[in-house]
Amino acid sequence: MPAPHSPRRARIAFSDSAAKQLDAITSESELHALDRALVVVSVDPEAGELLPGDSTGPRLRQYVDDVERVRLVYWVTALKTVVVIAFIEV
């Protein structure tokens, strides 16, 4: 009997500003903490809370991990296959 497939993860993409923030991270522990947060939102793109806003642009979400002290602001594409990270705070 074949093993059941795990749920498909969303692909992670970074905005230009988030990519610059990512490049500025030099601490191994901060990279590890960020990696854990990225796994969470790739497995469950709705893990973060919706931020207040209007419907003229993408609905921004915020994922906060108080233990790892990571904050991600992101939006999910219409087909929920890509999570675009807009802001990183570690």
Side-chain angles (χ1 to χ4, degrees), residues 8-68:
R8 185 168 181 229
R9 289 184 181 186
R11 192 171 57 96
I12 299 289
F14 296 94
S15 68
D16 290 341
S17 61
K20 288 178 186 174
Q21 291 170 313
L22 181 62
D23 289 341
I25 298 173
T26 58
S27 163
E28 191 71 31
S29 62
E30 288 178 346
L31 285 172
H32 179 71
L34 175 60
D35 186 52
R36 290 175 52 108
L38 293 172
V39 167
V40 170
V41 297
S42 72
V43 171
D44 182 8
E46 295 180 3
E49 65 184 41
L50 279 172
L51 294 175
D54 58 29
S55 61
T56 59
R59 290 300 314 259
L60 292 177
R61 301 184 79 83
Q62 171 179 261
Y63 174 77
V64 177
D65 183 331
D66 292 326
V67 173
E68 297 283 353

Side-chain angles (χ1 to χ4, degrees), residues 1 7 26 32 34 38 54 57-58 72 74 76 80 84:
M1 179 174 182
T26 58
H32 179 71
L34 175 60
L38 293 172
D54 58 29
L72 300 175
Y74 64 98
V76 183
K80 299 187 179 190
V84 179

